[in-house]
Amino acid sequence: MADLRPNLPPRIGIDRPGSFSRSCFHERHPVLIANLIADHPYPPRLRARLEALLAESLDGTVPPEVPPGPNQAFWAAEIAACAGRPWSGLPYLWAESYFYRRLLDATEYFDAESPWCGVDLFAPQKHAQLAGPELRADLDAYAALGERDHAERRRALLYASLWGNQADLGFRTTTDIAGRSGIVVDDGAAVWDLVDGPGSGPVIVVADNAGRELTADLALVDALLETGTVELHLKPHPYFVSDATGNDLLATLDALDADPNKPVQALAQRLRESIRDESLRVRTHGFYALPSTYRHLPPDLAADYRAARLVILKGDLNYRRLVGDRAWDPTTPFGDVVAYFPGDVAALRTAKSDLAVGIPPARLTELDNASPDWRISGTHAMIQVLH
């Protein structure tokens, strides 16, 4: 689909040796396929399909067949334009999304006659996070937040949601993480100004990952509910690794219910009651599982965003879709890049890809000199707001 703004930078591809995007296909995806085969007792036909997909994505071309599942018309048009092209020549965002769509096909997720229909291929990894000791520590930290004053507590929950985007940073609410250490751009105060503002619409939180990140997001959602209606937008089906779906929401609430901390159990109860009375609306949209950017929102979702007090976009993938996954000069102002967005928007993102905008020049020089891999290491984060 063509971009509406002229003179946009080129799309990030997967063809440049040494690039992060290329390493995702040539280093991460082989590990991903190996983990799927180890995690599930797939029969030979599914193992063969997974291995064939990996080989094709590393050194093959796009076939003309449209994989099954929703949004068939969209994918038919997209694949018709890409069929016969080598994977190495595809835009990064499109290639990744197509790869995961093909994973669902390879594991017969959409095949109503298969016993593997509807089986979340990433469920073992998600369940492991919910059962792990790290989550227990996260929830202990959440329970201790009751000792803080209201403003400090809200601030800590926002930063916990931000850092939750990187699982090994997790749900930390200590002074260094709840402060500004490692945060490249911090518009956190503007987030709460918009949430507390005069608008009557809901706050929309577009979630990213399940497990510890969704747990942190739900704690933030609970605080947002004190100000009015909230919408939590989830993926309609498994997409990228560990993306949060409705099933993951229910599993997370169950994990909160089972925690020995009374404040954590109370959190789960409040969230369940909020879903029942629709002060917390759980939504999804087919758009969230497509390689489209937010510049190409469908009209109904654009109208929802326009009516919201604030849209909070979580995670690196949502950030890439917001700014367009293009080779921007990192000093390009965030507001200039996302001015098209139909309402007020906040991006909460732990940096895990090359892409960045809105970085002050002096700060960029400092980061590049001190930590050249800061954009992909998960050690830095940003809260950026357009209003």
Side-chain angles (χ1 to χ4, degrees):
M1 188 178 292
D3 279 297
L4 304 178
R5 169 177 165 167
N7 303 318
L8 287 169
R11 289 184 175 88
I12 295 173
I14 58 175
D15 56 340
R16 183 167 60 85
S19 66
F20 175 79
S21 54
R22 184 173 176 82
S23 73
C24 284
F25 279 78
H26 288 261
E27 297 172 21
R28 294 190 175 194
H29 287 179
V31 175
L32 168 62
I33 296 295
N35 286 342
L36 290 177
I37 291 173
D39 286 342
H40 299 276
Y42 288 138
R45 74 174 187 282
L46 296 193
R47 297 199 303 271
R49 293 178 72 177
L50 287 168
E51 291 165 352
L53 171 61
L54 178 62
E56 177 194 305
S57 68
L58 296 179
D59 193 31
T61 59
V62 176
E65 293 79 18
V66 180
N71 296 299
Q72 282 285 296
F74 173 92
W75 281 108
E78 293 286 311
I79 291 171
C82 294
R85 291 177 59 183
W87 279 74
S88 59
L90 299 172
Y92 178 32
L93 180 61
W94 195 95
E96 262 200 307
S97 185
Y98 177 63
F99 177 82
Y100 282 98
R101 175 74 168 214
R102 292 281 303 280
L103 274 183
L104 295 177
D105 181 26
T107 56
E108 299 179 349
Y109 182 87
F110 294 118
D111 184 349
E113 298 183 357
S114 170
W116 300 97
C117 180
V119 175
D120 186 343
L121 59 170
F122 303 117
Q125 298 175 53
K126 296 174 179 179
H127 294 163
Q129 276 211 7
L130 289 179
E134 295 88 353
L135 181 62
R136 301 280 76 77
D138 293 348
L139 297 179
D140 288 343
Y142 170 79
L145 285 180
E147 302 172 5
R148 302 191 183 189
D149 66 41
H150 184 255
E152 186 180 1
R153 182 175 181 275
R154 294 208 308 179
R155 177 173 172 270
L157 289 172
L158 181 66
Y159 290 126
S161 178
L162 169 68
W163 286 113
N165 185 232
Q166 180 67 27
D168 59 358
L169 297 176
F171 188 44
R172 288 202 244 164
T173 52
T174 55
T175 301
D176 60 334
I177 293 300
R180 291 174 170 79
S181 176
I183 301 181
V184 178
V185 179
D186 188 358
D187 291 340
V191 171
W192 289 113
D193 287 344
L194 289 167
V195 168
D196 294 332
S200 59
V203 175
I204 295 176
V205 178
V206 182
D208 189 16
N209 294 311
R212 296 173 69 194
E213 179 173 0
L214 184 59
T215 306
D217 292 344
L218 289 175
L220 175 61
V221 163
D222 181 57
L224 294 171
L225 282 165
E226 297 172 358
T227 71
T229 302
V230 177
E231 289 186 4
L232 178 64
H233 289 205
L234 303 170
K235 297 296 192 302
H237 53 72
Y239 187 41
F240 284 31
V241 178
S242 77
D243 276 359
T245 66
N247 283 336
D248 298 316
L249 171 63
L250 297 178
T252 304
L253 291 175
D254 288 344
L256 298 179
D257 277 327
D259 191 82
N261 288 300
K262 296 298 184 183
V264 176
Q265 296 173 18
L267 168 65
Q269 184 61 33
R270 288 195 302 273
L271 291 168
R272 289 185 187 277
E273 289 301 321
S274 296
I275 294 170
R276 289 188 181 100
D277 66 25
E278 293 194 312
S279 54
L280 173 55
R281 304 169 189 160
V282 182
R283 303 275 304 278
T284 191
H285 197 289
F287 171 83
Y288 292 130
L290 296 177
S292 302
T293 68
Y294 284 102
R295 191 178 290 275
H296 303 112
L297 282 167
D300 58 338
L301 197 54
D304 290 344
Y305 287 174
R306 193 173 295 111
R309 271 180 294 155
L310 176 67
V311 178
I312 299 175
L313 300 177
K314 282 297 309 293
D316 199 75
L317 175 59
N318 276 321
Y319 189 86
R320 289 165 56 195
R321 299 175 76 181
L322 178 64
V323 304
D325 212 45
R326 292 176 175 273
W328 292 99
D329 180 333
T331 64
T332 306
F334 178 76
D336 289 357
V337 176
V338 304
Y340 70 87
F341 199 82
D344 294 336
V345 62
L348 274 63
R349 174 244 189 168
T350 301
K352 293 179 286 187
S353 66
D354 290 319
L355 182 64
V357 298
I359 313 300
R363 179 66 166 142
L364 179 64
T365 299
E366 174 190 343
L367 289 166
D368 287 345
N369 289 337
S371 180
D373 67 344
W374 70 269
R375 300 190 207 186
I376 62 174
S377 63
T379 57
H380 292 74
M382 51 197 70
I383 303 175
Q384 293 174 297
V385 172
L386 171 76
H387 60 91

